[in-house]
Amino acid sequence: MERAAVFDVDGTLVDTNHLHVTTWWEAFRQAGHHVPMHAVHRAVGLASGDLVARLLGEDRDKDQDAELSAAHKALYGQYFDRLPALPGAGELLRRLAGDGWTVVLATSAGGSELGALRRAIDADDAIAATASADDVDAGKPAPEPVEHALELAGVPAERAVFVGDTVWDMRAGSRAGVRCVGVLCGGLPRADLEEAGAEAVYADPADLLARLGGSPLA
């Protein structure tokens, strides 16, 4: 039977979370908002509109949302040519594809940003499909991104595992009915990932690859 390995990208396969923290912080600063970096870090992984709403509240000037998102996109775009893959990222995807897993990415990134992330991973030969933010109405922690990834793979939830680095990933995977695996390379504590639904937690893709035989992806 077919089985799917669904992966978040930012902070899971590519070491970008702290770049997102810095560039979102700067976008807020330029717009006159003083948002602590630790608060931004906790919100990374949400779609842009949801991140802004979480950090500025529902009583914010919503007309400024698009401007903030565009500023972040422009600042972050300066790094597109040098985004660093996390240790073992490409090797893990190729190993899973070789073992018969259908590998699908589920990410809030789209367009040129997604292209830059895929270049960093350098494992397009192992990636069967990508569910991006452009494909769904609601981003993580809603289950839609993971559910769409499963549709692309043609695999039911009980035959899938979702790997991510944030509580939003774990909640999305849990709500979609898939087994969830967390990685610590996004900077969040193990306890937070486990509380949000992670069945197992690894340091990074290289650690998961080294211990693959005893993992939910065995």
Side-chain angles (χ1 to χ4, degrees), residues 21-37 40 56 64 67-68 71-72 75:
V21 171
T22 301
T23 51
W24 270 116
W25 174 84
E26 177 62 14
F28 285 125
R29 189 198 67 80
Q30 290 178 4
H33 301 289
H34 302 287
V35 181
M37 287 197 186
V40 179
L56 297 186
Q64 200 179 48
E67 179 183 333
L68 285 165
H72 163 259
L75 290 161

Side-chain angles (χ1 to χ4, degrees), residues 98-109:
D99 287 348
W101 290 83
T102 299
V103 176
V104 183
L105 306 182
T107 173
S108 58

Side-chain angles (χ1 to χ4, degrees), residues 104-189:
V104 183
L105 306 182
T107 173
S108 58
S112 58
E113 180 182 347
L114 178 57
L117 292 165
R118 291 187 66 145
R119 287 193 298 274
I121 300 166
D122 192 24
D124 276 355
D125 54 315
I127 300 168
T130 300
S132 78
D134 303 328
D135 302 322
V136 295
D137 293 327
K140 304 165 193 170
E144 279 87 339
V146 179
E147 291 171 343
H148 183 54
L150 298 180
E151 291 172 5
L152 294 173
V155 174
E158 61 269 19
R159 297 284 299 170
V161 177
F162 180 44
V163 183
D165 68 295
T166 69
V167 296
W168 319 118
D169 292 327
M170 300 301 100
R171 290 175 184 172
S174 296
R175 290 169 182 172
V178 304
R179 301 173 72 185
C180 296
V181 170
V183 286
L184 299 173
C185 41
L188 292 183

